[in-house]
Amino acid sequence: MQHGPAVRRRKLGEELRRQRDIAGLTSGEAARLAGWHQSKVSRIETGRSGVKSTDVTRLLDVYGVTDRELRALLAALANSDANGGQRAWWHAYRELLPSAYRDFISLEAEAVRARTLETLVVPGLLQTPRYARVVTRAALAELPQERVDELVEVRIARQDVLRGDPPLELHAVLDEAVLRREVGGPEVMAEQLRHLVEVGSLPQVRLQVLPFAHGVHIGVTGPFVIFSFPLIADLDVVVLDHLTSSLYLERKEDLRAYSDAFDTLRGSALPCEDSLAFIAAIGDGLRRRKNAHPPHPVHSLQ
């Protein structure tokens, strides 16, 4: 298990080494052609040091790599922005966000597909502002309200990936407990469930519910996210979220285990159409309860 930046450096190094092998060059030859010392190429390929996007570009030129998508992806892994070197939108929140969270957002922005299991709360990409505010306040009770509002802004801004070009493909399996836990009370929760039905109807989003009736399941060990990236399958990574940090799993056996677990969960969950109907029914129940305000009994003074 590694923190995000270390995973990214190593994965980038592995792909650059693969491209060097395809080009038929030794690390010494690559360094000479790039005008560097051999130790720099070695440090980059082993992930022992960070690498600038300009250095990635130079190596790809040396290796004769012309695929624009691949070049853009590897530049992004070097923590650069593929659009003319402009800063990513979350840079404006750099003083607020821990580096691990910034790296998570970066991975999310670069991924083409995300598979996630949630057992406690609605995934951040699907939260409404009011729901997000309650969850953030509960998790970070000591923060001033202004900071909480900024974190909610970040969470809502992250959701743009679902409507990008191309959009992130999201497949989420939600334990029924996510839908039953009344975060913020009936009104906030009913609004959140209505939003889930709306977003779940988008072609790039698949929502499935794992009902209580299914009993115990492999997901009881906790929520996770699997990010998949274009062109290079070996870049896939599993993210486990903790209270103060995130952990990243990248070994092939870990990826296989979590991918198999997700396949098992989605096979046990309700189909997408039935899941949206299930969510809507819970939301309708909350709204009926909210609207059912019987008048207080009037006691006669006589």
Side-chain angles (χ1 to χ4, degrees):
M1 286 188 282
Q2 300 284 341
H3 291 290
V7 170
R8 293 160 63 86
R9 285 198 304 267
R10 188 158 61 251
K11 287 184 175 295
L12 174 60
E14 289 173 355
E15 182 59 23
L16 289 172
R17 183 171 64 249
R18 191 174 77 88
Q19 293 299 327
R20 175 172 61 78
D21 289 340
I22 292 173
L25 298 172
T26 66
S27 59
E29 290 169 338
R32 179 177 55 80
L33 291 171
W36 300 338
H37 193 278
Q38 182 178 358
S39 61
K40 180 172 181 175
V41 173
S42 297
R43 288 196 305 272
I44 290 173
E45 291 186 350
T46 56
R48 293 199 306 269
S49 66
V51 55
K52 298 177 181 178
S53 59
T54 52
D55 290 341
V56 170
T57 298
R58 179 175 295 186
L59 284 177
L60 295 178
D61 288 342
V62 168
Y63 303 155
V65 177
T66 58
D67 187 312
R68 290 184 178 181
E69 288 186 79
L70 179 59
R71 291 174 69 98
L73 175 62
L74 296 182
L77 278 177
N79 267 342
S80 68
D81 187 288
N83 295 315
Q86 298 176 357
R87 294 186 187 277
W89 64 264
W90 55 88
H91 182 78
Y93 299 91
R94 64 190 180 281
E95 301 300 329
L96 173 68
L97 305 178
S99 60
Y101 189 23
R102 293 198 304 269
D103 198 69
F104 178 88
I105 295 173
S106 177
L107 287 173
E108 188 176 72
E110 296 156 12
V112 294
R113 181 169 62 129
R115 289 166 287 169
T116 183
L117 165 72
E118 269 296 349
T119 58
L120 299 173
V121 296
V122 171
L125 290 179
L126 303 175
Q127 292 179 7
T128 64
R130 290 205 293 174
Y131 183 100
R133 186 167 289 104
V134 175
V135 170
T136 304
R137 169 54 69 198
L140 301 167
E142 76 288 352
L143 279 188
Q145 188 59 45
E146 180 183 357
R147 290 294 193 181
V148 171
D149 291 342
E150 288 175 330
L151 284 171
V152 172
E153 285 179 18
V154 171
R155 183 158 300 183
I156 301 306
R158 282 172 46 201
Q159 298 174 6
D160 285 346
V161 297
L162 295 177
R163 295 172 174 82
D165 184 20
L168 174 73
E169 295 179 13
L170 176 65
H171 190 169
V173 174
L174 309 181
D175 190 276
E176 185 177 342
V178 172
L179 312 175
R180 297 291 184 183
R181 180 173 289 103
E182 291 186 18
V183 174
E187 182 179 346
V188 171
M189 196 62 200
E191 177 188 58
Q192 175 62 74
L193 295 178
R194 185 167 57 250
H195 180 68
L196 280 179
V197 174
E198 292 172 357
V199 179
S201 301
L202 296 174
Q204 66 271 30
V205 177
R206 299 182 65 194
L207 293 184
Q208 290 185 262
V209 175
L210 197 57
F212 288 148
H214 180 72
V216 71
H217 54 78
I218 194 171
V220 295
T221 55
F224 59 85
V225 182
I226 308 172
F227 285 126
S228 298
F229 299 87
L231 304 179
I232 310 171
D234 286 346
L235 291 177
D236 288 7
V237 62
V238 177
V239 185
L240 308 178
D241 209 19
H242 295 263
L243 183 61
T244 57
S245 64
S246 296
L247 293 174
Y248 296 73
L249 307 179
E250 57 165 337
R251 297 184 308 168
K252 284 184 173 60
E253 52 266 42
D254 292 326
L255 290 167
R256 188 179 306 111
Y258 277 88
S259 292
D260 289 346
F262 187 82
D263 288 342
T264 299
L265 289 164
R266 68 180 179 85
S268 302
L270 298 174
C272 294
E273 186 174 345
D274 293 345
S275 293
L276 294 183
F278 190 93
I279 295 169
I282 296 176
D284 288 343
L286 286 174
R287 282 186 288 275
R288 284 195 299 270
R289 201 178 83 200
K290 172 182 172 293
N291 294 329
H293 294 300
H296 295 293
V298 177
H299 300 285
S300 174
L301 297 179
Q302 298 179 347

